Amino acid sequence: QTTTNIDEDIVNNELEFYKISLDEIFGAVEEAAKIIYVPTTMKQKIREFVNNPHYSRGACVWAVVDIIFICISLALLVLETIPEMRIYFTDDREPLYLFFLILDCLVIAFFRFIHVTMLYHF
């Protein structure tokens, strides 16, 4: 359990003893906050777009799509392991076979694209 109410005299004595200047600390924090990273090369822009959803609105959409594809991939994995559902993934005469095949191919293509993109920007 921590205390949030500390006597101001104690804090000031500690700061004085250790020769800590709050102006220097908060000034350094404010200066660091002013530094903004702006990607300049295409590699840096792709890295920010793929890895930082706050980079742009498109990057945010990309992050959401990425999560959706991860969820679809996990759902397909789970469905394939259910014995009653396995036939829809293996028998091409089943009505849902083509749907699951196309969905699986889309997921693989999406993750392959991400893989190639990451190879480029690292």
Side-chain angles (χ1 to χ4, degrees):
Q1 188 176 30
T2 60
T3 306
T4 55
N5 297 330
I6 300 174
D7 186 22
E8 187 176 338
D9 291 334
I10 294 173
V11 173
N12 289 332
N13 288 339
E14 291 290 320
L15 291 172
E16 191 176 307
F17 177 79
Y18 289 107
K19 297 179 179 31
I20 297 174
S21 170
L22 290 180
D23 292 333
E24 289 178 17
I25 292 173
F26 288 117
V29 170
E30 288 173 9
E31 285 299 316
K34 290 179 186 175
I35 299 172
I36 299 174
Y37 172 70
V38 179
T40 55
T41 66
M42 184 58 86
K43 252 184 192 183
Q44 292 171 339
K45 289 178 183 179
I46 290 173
R47 181 182 302 127
E48 284 298 308
F49 184 85
V50 172
N51 293 328
N52 183 4
H54 302 290
Y55 177 66
S56 68
R57 186 172 295 266
C60 184
V61 170
W62 177 263
V64 170
V65 170
D66 191 25
I67 290 171
I68 289 171
F69 269 94
I70 290 170
C71 292
I72 291 172
S73 175
L74 290 172
L76 287 173
L77 177 69
V78 169
L79 289 174
E80 284 183 81
T81 59
I82 299 172
E84 295 84 18
M85 293 293 294
R86 190 170 296 142
I87 193 166
Y88 296 115
F89 292 92
T90 56
D91 189 1
D92 60 354
R93 293 171 293 179
E94 288 296 324
L96 290 176
Y97 173 78
L98 186 60
F99 171 75
F100 284 127
L101 179 67
I102 291 172
L103 194 58
D104 202 24
C105 288
L106 286 173
V107 169
I108 290 170
F110 179 79
F111 288 123
R112 183 62 55 207
F113 176 74
I114 290 175
H115 181 249
V116 169
T117 303
M118 288 193 182
L119 286 176
Y120 172 72
H121 76 73
F122 282 116

